[in-house]
Amino acid sequence: MTSSVFFGLATIAYIFAMILYIAYLAFRKRAVGVAATTITIAGFASQTLALLMRWAEFKEIGGMGWVRAVPLTNLYESLIFFVWCLILVYLVIEFRYKNRSFGAFITPVAALALAFIDLTGMSKNIQPLVPALQSNWLLVHVMMSFISYALFAVSFSTGLMYLIVRSEQRNEASYIFWTVTLGIFVATLAAMGLDFLTFKVAFMGKQELIRSYLFKASFRSESTAVVAASLAATAGLIFVIWRFGYLLKTIITSFNISAEMLDELTYKSIAIGFPIFTLGGLIFGAIWADQAWGKYWTWDPKETWSLITWFFYAFFLHIRLMRGWKGRKVAVVAVLGFIAVIFTYLGVNLLLSGLHAYGS
Amino acid sequence: MEKEKDKTIIDKIWDLFASVRTAVVIFALISLTSVVGTIIEQQADPEKNIKVLAKMFGLGHDAAHKVLDILDTLHFTDMYHSWWFLALLLLFAANLIICSIDRLPRIWKLVQEKIHPVPADYIEKMSINKSVTIKGKSAGIKEKITASMSSIGFKPAESAEGQAVQFYAEHGNYSRLGVYITHLSILIILAGAIIGIYFGYNAFLNLPEGETSSVAYRDRGVELPLGFELRCDNFEVEYYPNTEMPKVYKSWLVVLKNGQELMKKAIVVNDPLTFEGVTFYQSSFGMHPDGFGRGILILKASSKDGKAEQLNLKVGDKFTIPGTAVEGHVRDFSPALSFDENGKAFTFAEQMVNPAIYVDFSDKGVQKYSGWLLKRMPKTWALPDGNRVEFLDLWGVQYTGMQVRKDPGVFIVYLGCIIMAIGLYMTFFMSHRRVWIALTEEKDSVKVLIGASANKNRASLERKIEKMANAISAEHKGGK
């Protein structure tokens, strides 16, 4: 039995958990909530097992020590680890705050990440480590980066929920901001789903082609009509969310999630994530770069984008702590910060070139 | 009058730099220009960027060329070394310094101010407060309170004013300076970077096996004396078994001064050699421009009864397996041998991915057999007659490519990193916590009033105070 079986089980579990958490939000049946938590825990256990198995397989193949054999060397493995961190942070929150409603906002992020893995058809094979990655810094640098990414993802979710709860009028800037953000998020998810359906049929076995086929069934289609229809559908979706967004607010508030709690969660996850990101992502990354390439900072796209992300969260902390800004303005910054994180992590690997091009 | 006016201008500039708004504008400018820098490949071939621009904005080649020309005039093609980007970074530093100087004295005064007793009604208004009434005399209770306070990490001081006794303590007073330590660390890192730019260099050196160099090269081939000599004894690529995946790039280096060997080290990626502040990093490799002709084949021939000899040959040379009359003739060399579907040999790369030699063997002049001996496949070394020819290396045809760096600022950068880690820890994981406990003796009881405050993570202090209050009241009940 290989690790991929347990990864598969975990993926299925998280998708079910997502459905159950959303159902729990909608129907408010305790049994549904308990089922959602149980499935999430089962998925998490399965994923943990899979991670350890992959680690052992990697150690075997690479013929090296445990520290160096950490399975965090390509986009596939890092996404898997991201999901693992995210679910871990979520479970901690669920048990500490005794509140399940966040699940409906966090499991979709996990499901999106896993769907992304399948869609882009990225290589799941264990590849032996290229010389540049053979360093003890790999473990700390990548692990800490992803722990901080997961915390930032939580702040994104809670920040968005805060905006949902705190917006009153449809013509308010914050209301429009969250509906558009959520709309684009859902549209991206849907477009990937569409790609998935199309390419499972059309390109079976040609995994390597799929990477260049992201959004080809919608926004990047050859046919202008399809592109126009996709854009129209996105606009329509945003409109629907905008029109009926207050329903979400009713649902969230009916679950004893107060705006203060969301604000605190957003702040706390950034206050923990920021130092971890600075130390693990930037400082350890710089030290490693210094050892491997002889330059601690080269302004390559990955580094530059992490710096931009760092600026975003530094800005968040300053306006929150110095200027005493609270509420919607800081929540918007938290949401935008995570968009920078996504770009640092995925956009750079997929769209830009640079020294960090291990992801493909 | 004139002086007054001057002062206002300076004040205005000061205020401008001390504002968070300015910081945000600088953050935004650095970020936005950097985004352009990540799209336009830096110091790259213009044609590459024209393609990127054309694809991204749907421009024609000429239009994209014009856009690139404009970007080039604005230094966007090498923006991180441009004067305006440096200016932005300096503005950022100035902002950081002025912001910190502007606020530090006030915080410093607050930090210096030691905790002191407060009136009872203050305690009742604190964000965390508890009140416990204990029946009986106050004898022994003081010790219990001091003990319970130290159990949660406070060292209490005591003050008495008439009948009212007060214990108070604080913790993490200096954690409020964490922000300034973090700011300082950024400045230290920037200073280290500037020292690196002005007093250090980045260069490269492609050193063929067996050769010695006393210089490295900067861009455009400018020579840079090292102050010593470096020799490359050997370069090897090790592959993962049965794959084309490189596992290790390794160069055996020797540092020489006046012909004396001063240091020897085999460098690999992630493990460089440093001598007199100059560091050599394994970064690439390649083939010597003179080609295979200059290479020396290193073979080890051994007979079946164990006689062995190491041989240094050229392609075309003949050799004899020791103790036998078997003669080998090296006919051909391939740096990257592979076989096509029909079993025909061909060379698939110019790099030494899979080096092989073709050898004809004859016994007393009679042609016996011939075949390929592959460096990476020891099973090809065994000959049908039981003799053995090991293909160890083709030496002297590869060069090792090294990054050469001298950076006297790097220690300052590391120091800044350590200080930053400390500053961040103080800022985010420590808090300034204060506790006051006031005792008031009433008729047959003692009223214990607990008040506490924390500038961060109040909830955790609240839990501790709760525990402490329970301990104080429970212990006393138990003792009764």
Side-chain angles (χ1 to χ4, degrees), chain A residues 61-64 96 127-135 137 264 267-268 270-272 274-276 278-279 283 286-296 298-302 304-305 307-308 310-312 314-315 317-319 321-323 343 352-353, chain B residues 20-21 24 27 30-32 34-35 37-39 41-42 56 80 85 89 92 103 179 183 186 189 192-194 196 202 240 243 245-249 269-272 281-282 403 405 407 409-410 413-414 417-418 420-421 424-425 428-429 456-457 459 463:
Chain A
I61 289 176
M64 51 200 160
R96 258 192 95 141
Q127 299 143 336
L129 278 186
V130 296
L133 292 181
Q134 292 168 18
S135 166
W137 289 108
E264 188 194 312
Y267 168 70
K268 274 202 171 156
I270 292 175
I272 300 171
F274 181 78
I276 295 178
T278 313
L279 190 68
I283 294 182
I287 295 173
W288 186 11
D290 187 40
Q291 274 188 12
W293 301 320
K295 288 168 187 165
Y296 51 82
T298 50
W299 293 105
D300 92 286
K302 195 86 170 178
T304 309
W305 271 97
L307 186 69
I308 294 170
W310 189 78
F311 276 152
F312 259 109
F315 174 57
L317 291 164
H318 280 88
I319 54 171
L321 297 172
M322 292 270 320
R323 306 299 294 291
F343 202 82
L352 306 170
S353 60
Chain B
V20 172
R21 192 180 297 257
V24 169
F27 272 18
I30 294 177
S31 302
L32 289 173
S34 297
V35 170
T38 62
I39 296 166
E41 202 177 315
Q42 301 293 297
M56 190 166 275
Y80 303 112
F85 194 73
L89 291 180
F92 173 54
R103 289 167 179 81
V179 179
H183 285 178
I186 296 172
I189 290 170
I194 289 170
N202 265 302
Y240 285 99
T243 64
M245 282 281 293
K247 186 180 181 186
V248 181
Y249 303 121
V269 183
N270 281 312
D271 186 16
Y281 300 85
Q282 181 69 59
Q403 278 283 335
R405 190 200 61 179
D407 188 349
V410 78
V413 172
Y414 276 23
C417 289
I418 293 167
M420 185 182 271
L424 286 171
Y425 184 81
F428 290 101
F429 299 111
K456 263 167 283 171
N457 206 359
R463 278 194 296 274

Side-chain angles (χ1 to χ4, degrees), chain B residues 283-310:
Chain B
S283 99
S284 65
F285 64 96
M287 302 303 293
H288 194 286
D290 293 353
F292 302 111
R294 69 192 299 279
I296 295 167
L297 289 169
I298 301 172
L299 308 182
K300 190 179 165 201
S302 42
S303 65
K304 50 187 164 196
D305 40 337
K307 277 188 191 146
E309 191 187 349
Q310 182 154 319

